């Protein structure tokens, strides 16, 4: 009901505005002037680090978007890449292969425009030597086919866009930390060394975007719940609350995923506008916890409980850099009183962030994240089933530094996260070299550590790995 009221208020406010047009955003904000190119081509997937995007051939005929215009498919524009990655674990694996990653991925992207319509299709063909099965599963991304996009964008009017089908959705202000961005994530891909873009899993949804003088409004409806691709023992070993130890492929955690179309659905909305040089946004979500934090002791399975979330964010220039703040209140709808120890409790999540250029071609960023759990005493009664067993307030600090060497086409990045109360952390390092306009070489690491085997990062430490990759774009 709260979501419907929120949407009605926002729509009514926008319809009553005399001129409906999306205002330009200041440089450095999420929906920048460049991102407004949705009038020509929507940005459906988050940007990759420099040199890891869709690299286009300089010898093939292209249009203004840089996409190849094939003579065999007149009107369609094609692009893609071939990416080969090999990763090895740095610790003795628990119920896993020694190689965390050994795959070649061919991505093909096709796009065509008609008057007011844009069709996009992006699919990955994967030869994965680590996978135990190659049968496609579009929900989990496993198998030889991973369908990333299959959608149609209709520019109905100058103030209304409708996009339907499989698409990558994202909003919010955090870097690798998500509060109001309750769209599916692929944590398996993220921790084994696939590119950053694969952290965002696709959604099968309808997105309606309205642009007005008072505010802009995005409404997303997902008729069947899209869950995170979470750590469950396949590819990533994790603490098993039922076996009371770290397990992997030999004891994969089962989950009771809501899968009824139109009954197990999701709604999400964002209203945003610019105030001077700052962008402010309000968020609402009605669906399920994206990863299964609930437990069924009788069935020994993880449970996706109902979730409603309400939040806000602001982002803009500060002291020579870009600052952001975001807050979200999680309402655990299946147990608002917090008395059921097997249902995740309601939370308040808060984020502060700051990024700026430290020197020429050198940028740095820092974030502080706080997660406060309500009715903490009832939650602790679930021990030892709970994993991780949280403190009532979890603190997390992150830092990121990125250095570019334009003369040598080399980019180095290191992201670190550390929780002082959990005494665990994560290091993500990456070094890439653009050998040519089409060819890039990359090496990197995912290092996880912790003093307790059941904290968020500590339970994943046996999955630490190093990897190398070669990509050819066309």
């Amino acid at each position: 009901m709260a979501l419907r009221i929120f949407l009605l208020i926002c729509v009514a406010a926008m319809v009553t505005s005399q001129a409906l047009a999306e205002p330009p955003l200041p440089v450095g904000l999420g929906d920048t002037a460049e991102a407004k190119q949705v009038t020509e081509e929507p940005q459906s997937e988050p940007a990759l680090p420099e040199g890891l995007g869709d690299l286009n051939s300089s010898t093939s005929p292209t249009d203004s978007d840089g996409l190849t215009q094939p003579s065999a498919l007149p009107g369609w524009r094609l692009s893609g890449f071939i990416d080969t990655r090999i990763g090895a674990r740095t610790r003795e694996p628990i119920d896993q292969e020694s190689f965390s990653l050994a795959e070649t991925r061919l991505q093909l992207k096709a796009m065509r425009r008609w008057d007011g319509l844009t069709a996009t299709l992006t699919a990955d063909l994967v030869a994965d030597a680590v996978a135990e099965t190659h049968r496609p599963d579009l929900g989990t991304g496993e198998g030889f086919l991973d369908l990333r996009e299959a959608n149609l964008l209709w520019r109905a009017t100058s103030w209304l866009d409708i996009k339907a089908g499989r698409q990558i959705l994202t909003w919010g202000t955090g870097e690798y930390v998500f509060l109001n961005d309750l769209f599916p994530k692929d944590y398996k891909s993220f921790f084994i060394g696939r590119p950053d873009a694969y952290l965002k899993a696709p959604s099968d949804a309808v997105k309606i975007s309205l642009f007005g003088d008072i505010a802009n409004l995005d409404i997303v409806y997902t008729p069947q719940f899209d869950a995170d691709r979470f750590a469950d023992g396949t590819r990533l070993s994790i603490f098993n609350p039922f076996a009371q130890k770290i397990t992997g492929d030999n004891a994969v955690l089962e989950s009771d995923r809501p899968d009824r179309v139109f009954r197990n659905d999701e709604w999400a909305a964002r209203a945003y506008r610019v105030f001077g040089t700052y962008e402010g946004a309000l968020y609402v979500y009605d669906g399920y916890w994206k990863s299964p934090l609930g437990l069924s002791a009788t069935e020994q399975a993880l449970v996706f409980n109902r979730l409603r979330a309400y939040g806000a964010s602001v982002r803009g220039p500060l002291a020579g850099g870009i600052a952001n703040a975001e807050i979200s209140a999680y309402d655990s709808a299946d147990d608002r009183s917090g008395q059921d120890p097997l249902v995740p409790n309601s939370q308040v999540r808060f984020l502060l962030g700051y990024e700026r250029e430290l020197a020429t071609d050198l940028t740095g960023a820092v974030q502080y994240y706080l997660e406060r759990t309500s009715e903490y005493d009832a939650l602790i009664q679930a021990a030892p089933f709970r994993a991780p067993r949280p403190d009532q307030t979890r603190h997390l600090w992150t830092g990121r530094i990125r250095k570019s060497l334009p003369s040598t086409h080399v980019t180095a990045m290191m992201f670190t996260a550390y929780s002082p109360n959990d005494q665990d952390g994560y290091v993500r390092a990456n070094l890439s070299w653009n050998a040519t306009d089409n060819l890039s070489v990359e090496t990197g690491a995912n290092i996880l550590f912790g003093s307790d085997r059941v904290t968020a990062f500590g339970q994943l430490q046996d999955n630490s790995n190093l990897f190398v990759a070669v990509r050819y774009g066309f």
Side-chain angles (χ1 to χ4, degrees):
M1 180 62 70
L3 175 60
R4 294 184 176 88
I5 294 174
F6 173 83
L7 298 181
L8 288 173
I9 292 174
C10 292
V11 172
M14 295 176 64
V15 170
T16 55
S17 64
Q18 294 182 354
L20 292 172
E22 184 178 21
L25 302 184
V27 176
L29 298 186
D31 294 317
T32 61
E34 289 79 9
K36 184 59 182 80
Q37 290 171 352
V38 67
T39 59
E40 295 299 328
E41 176 181 7
Q43 182 179 355
S44 59
E45 194 163 315
L48 294 175
E50 183 179 353
L52 295 181
D54 290 340
L55 303 175
N56 302 299
S57 171
S58 60
T59 59
S60 301
T62 60
D63 66 4
S64 59
D65 295 313
L67 298 176
T68 302
Q69 298 248 20
S71 58
L73 295 172
W76 288 88
R77 288 157 294 159
L78 301 181
S79 65
F81 60 79
I82 300 175
D83 185 287
T84 297
R85 291 174 182 259
I86 298 177
R89 301 179 192 273
T90 61
R91 300 190 180 198
E92 186 67 26
I94 297 178
D95 297 338
Q96 302 289 355
E97 300 287 342
S98 296
F99 285 95
S100 57
L101 190 63
E103 67 182 32
T104 294
R105 182 179 297 264
L106 169 63
Q107 181 174 108
L108 297 173
K109 180 173 183 176
M111 180 179 294
R112 181 166 182 176
R113 295 197 186 112
W114 298 269
D115 185 20
L117 293 174
T118 301
T120 302
L121 178 65
T122 305
D124 289 6
L125 299 176
V126 185
D128 189 344
V130 178
E132 295 184 353
T133 177
H134 301 286
R135 179 178 297 176
D137 185 332
L138 299 184
T140 64
E142 298 173 349
F144 73 87
L145 174 64
D146 185 9
L147 184 62
R148 302 289 295 171
E149 295 178 285
N151 59 71
L152 187 66
L153 170 68
W154 177 34
R155 299 221 66 247
T157 70
S158 62
W159 51 270
L160 173 64
D161 289 354
I162 300 176
K163 187 175 184 179
R166 174 157 286 212
Q167 53 191 292
I168 305 294
L169 296 168
T170 184
W171 58 43
T173 65
E175 181 178 26
Y176 301 145
V177 180
F178 307 105
L179 288 75
N180 295 293
D181 183 346
L182 288 164
F183 302 112
K185 311 297 183 297
D186 188 345
Y187 292 107
K188 295 180 185 178
S189 291
F190 184 69
F191 286 119
I192 65 176
R194 290 182 180 135
D196 282 8
Y198 287 89
L199 174 58
K200 303 296 178 69
S203 298
D204 298 312
V206 177
K207 179 182 179 183
I208 300 173
S209 299
L210 300 104
F211 311 111
D213 283 343
I214 296 176
N216 306 313
L217 177 64
D218 291 329
I219 303 171
V220 177
Y221 176 65
T222 306
Q224 184 181 34
F225 172 61
D226 283 325
D228 287 341
R229 299 172 180 180
F230 58 95
D232 61 357
T234 57
R235 301 299 283 258
L236 294 174
S237 298
I238 194 169
F239 182 81
N240 185 321
F242 307 109
Q244 286 295 289
K245 63 180 181 179
I246 304 294
T247 61
D249 276 335
N250 292 343
V252 175
L253 287 167
E254 300 293 331
S255 61
D256 183 13
R257 176 175 173 171
D259 58 3
R260 293 175 296 177
V261 180
F262 300 123
R263 297 196 65 180
N264 301 127
D265 54 3
E266 302 174 88
W267 286 91
R270 173 184 66 157
Y272 63 100
R273 66 161 295 169
V274 173
F275 302 89
T277 58
Y278 288 82
E279 180 194 53
L282 298 174
Y283 309 88
V284 178
Y285 172 79
D286 185 1
Y288 298 83
W289 292 84
K290 302 303 289 186
S291 291
L293 300 182
L295 300 170
S296 173
T298 56
E299 298 180 7
Q300 293 206 346
L302 304 178
V303 177
F304 293 89
N305 294 106
R306 294 285 307 180
L307 174 68
R308 294 187 179 95
Y310 312 89
S313 69
V314 62
R315 176 164 50 185
L318 178 68
I322 300 294
N324 63 282
E326 188 170 350
I327 190 169
S328 188
Y330 282 27
D331 176 14
S332 189
D334 284 346
D335 183 31
R336 288 193 172 93
S337 66
Q339 299 306 304
D340 187 344
L342 300 183
V343 175
N345 285 23
S346 299
Q347 295 179 339
V348 174
R349 300 185 176 191
F350 178 71
L351 178 72
L352 283 176
Y354 183 72
E355 176 181 7
R356 67 166 296 166
E357 186 176 39
L358 304 177
T360 303
D361 299 318
L362 177 67
T363 60
V366 63
Q367 295 180 128
Y368 168 68
Y369 170 74
L370 179 147
E371 183 179 292
R372 177 78 174 181
T373 301
S374 64
E375 304 298 335
Y376 179 70
D377 292 340
L379 180 67
I380 291 304
Q381 293 176 15
F385 289 103
R386 279 286 169 205
R389 299 174 203 151
D391 290 338
Q392 184 169 15
T393 302
R394 179 175 180 245
H395 305 272
L396 181 71
W397 288 91
T398 78
R400 188 253 301 154
I401 189 164
R402 177 179 285 113
K403 174 64 177 178
S404 298
L405 301 171
S407 61
T408 58
H409 306 288
V410 171
T411 301
M413 187 278 292
M414 178 174 287
F415 174 87
T416 60
Y418 181 72
S419 173
N421 54 302
D422 285 349
Q423 296 184 18
D424 67 353
Y426 170 55
V427 177
R428 183 178 182 86
N430 180 279
L431 180 67
S432 63
W433 171 48
N434 292 339
T436 69
D437 288 342
N438 301 82
L439 181 65
S440 64
V441 181
E442 176 188 1
T443 184
N446 293 280
I447 307 299
L448 299 117
F449 60 92
S451 59
D452 194 330
R453 300 288 286 178
V454 297
T455 59
F457 295 125
Q459 63 180 321
L460 293 169
Q461 59 188 288
D462 294 308
N463 302 291
S464 298
N465 60 83
L466 304 173
F467 67 89
V468 294
V470 178
R471 173 179 290 204
Y472 182 82
F474 54 87

